Amino acid sequence: MSNHIIVTTGIYDAIKDTIRRKKVSMEGEKRLAEELRKAKQVLRRDLPADIVTVERKVTLKDHTLDVEHEYIFVSSNKEKLKKNKHSILSDIALAVVGYRVGDIIHWPFKEGERKIEILKVEAWEG
């Protein structure tokens, strides 16, 4: 597993703002703050293709619930859950943003800690 997340400056700032506005649980806030402290910031063009970020279709395996699900992560103003487009600031996106294919994340969701594995990350253009 990666020991730090890789994010663009825009995503970094959006996550910081989400923490500042108290949009996540106390436990999630601690984890995000810790991840941001160690995060590597890069320009969008320098972001590796296998990193979870906006405009990417991501296949995740939730080992806790034993299900696989595909998500399309988009900017918050483009979220359309009926079309499987999830905000990059949604709970599931915040858990995996900046991680890469093969990483396994233990994340404190509202309903309890879950173990999430990133199976696939693909470019997506809506």
Side-chain angles (χ1 to χ4, degrees):
M1 183 169 117
S2 307
N3 59 357
H4 63 270
I5 61 173
I6 302 172
V7 292
T8 61
T9 301
I11 296 295
Y12 181 94
D13 291 343
I15 294 171
K16 272 194 96 89
D17 188 57
T18 298
I19 293 170
R20 189 178 55 75
R21 293 171 176 224
K22 304 285 186 202
K23 299 277 189 181
V24 291
S25 69
M26 200 59 152
E27 192 62 35
E29 184 179 320
K30 284 185 209 164
R31 278 291 301 276
L32 286 170
E34 176 68 24
E35 289 187 353
L36 289 181
R37 261 194 300 284
K38 298 184 289 186
K40 178 179 177 186
Q41 291 184 59
V42 299
L43 296 173
R44 183 133 179 100
R45 70 173 180 262
D46 297 331
L47 196 67
D50 66 342
I51 296 286
V52 176
T53 191
V54 293
E55 306 300 330
R56 301 258 165 106
K57 184 164 63 168
V58 180
T59 305
L60 302 175
K61 175 157 177 88
D62 185 326
H63 290 277
T64 308
L65 303 175
D66 196 30
V67 294
E68 269 185 37
H69 192 75
E70 193 173 88
Y71 298 87
I72 298 166
F73 292 132
V74 296
S75 57
S76 295
N77 61 342
K78 294 181 180 173
E79 181 176 60
K80 288 187 175 62
L81 297 179
K82 286 184 177 166
K83 294 188 174 186
N84 198 30
K85 295 179 187 174
H86 297 261
S87 165
I88 195 65
L89 299 176
S90 65
D91 288 347
I92 189 65
L94 286 172
V96 298
V97 69
Y99 284 100
R100 64 181 356 126
V101 171
D103 284 347
I104 296 175
I105 301 102
H106 295 268
W107 193 259
F109 289 92
K110 289 178 181 90
E111 55 284 346
E113 183 160 306
R114 291 175 20 207
K115 178 180 169 185
I116 309 290
E117 180 178 3
I118 301 170
L119 300 178
K120 187 164 37 166
V121 176
E122 303 170 88
W124 181 84
E125 293 172 21

